[in-house]
Amino acid sequence: MATKTKSKSLGSMQMTKQLYQQQASKYQPKRNVLLNSLRAFWVGGTICLLGQVIQNMYIHFFGFTEKTASNPTVATLIFLSVLLTGLGVYDNIGQYAGAGSAVPVTGFANSIASAAIEHRSEGLVLGVGGNMFKLAGSVIVFGVVAAFVAGVLKSLYHMFF
């Protein structure tokens, strides 16, 4: 049994799915994939370079070891990301760099801070507290569960080998 192609009537013109896609493609902006990739690469790399500079500062000026300097480095990057989000600068970086600003830890901090800022008018508990973890909740849950599974596997490995 043959089926007919679904079409919607627009006055005297029949709009098929293919015709609609052809019409819509005329109005879609053209994406320069190479330029977007280069922007993401250099901005993401610059964020990581900044993190390395901060870590080296903690090592050389404050006497941290390479291992102990990682926690304050991440905390400093998170602080800078939240500060730039509050000032509205990180959004401009995100518009320019795309995924280059979203991948490092600063992108995660930006997503939580921007949700908190957006919903602050609803109150501290239900607005800020409730909404800032809607976006980040799945990431946090995955991290906790993955750490638990890795810990159990490591413990079992050490018990039997």
Side-chain angles (χ1 to χ4, degrees):
M1 181 162 128
T3 59
K4 293 169 58 177
T5 304
K6 290 184 179 180
S7 62
K8 296 180 182 174
S9 177
L10 297 174
S12 62
M13 186 173 133
Q14 294 290 332
M15 180 68 77
T16 64
K17 189 174 183 178
Q18 280 183 326
L19 182 60
Y20 174 78
Q21 288 176 347
Q22 288 173 351
Q23 292 293 324
S25 67
K26 291 179 185 177
Y27 299 101
Q28 290 180 343
K30 304 297 181 222
R31 295 187 186 111
N32 190 340
V33 176
L34 180 63
L35 180 63
N36 291 344
S37 299
L38 288 173
R39 284 179 177 176
F41 179 77
W42 87 261
V43 170
T46 302
I47 292 170
C48 294
L49 177 67
L50 175 66
Q52 189 63 52
V53 167
I54 292 169
Q55 184 175 15
N56 289 347
M57 285 174 44
Y58 280 121
I59 292 170
H60 293 295
F61 297 121
F62 299 109
F64 285 89
T65 65
E66 194 170 315
K67 192 172 189 175
T68 59
S70 59
N71 288 338
T73 301
V74 172
T76 303
L77 285 172
I78 289 171
F79 172 76
L80 290 173
S81 174
V82 170
L83 180 67
L84 291 176
T85 299
L87 296 174
V89 174
Y90 205 91
D91 292 338
N92 295 334
I93 295 170
Q95 286 291 321
Y96 176 78
S101 66
V103 174
V105 69
T106 55
F108 184 68
N110 169 264
S111 67
I112 292 176
S114 61
I117 291 168
E118 183 178 343
H119 296 285
R120 71 180 179 266
S121 64
E122 297 173 24
L124 289 177
V125 175
L126 296 177
V128 174
N131 287 305
M132 70 186 217
F133 289 111
K134 280 184 181 177
L135 180 64
S138 59
V139 176
I140 294 169
V141 169
F142 176 77
V144 170
V145 170
F148 175 76
V149 170
V152 168
L153 291 176
K154 184 177 179 181
S155 296
L156 289 174
Y157 178 77
H158 287 298
M159 285 175 52
F160 294 113
F161 300 108

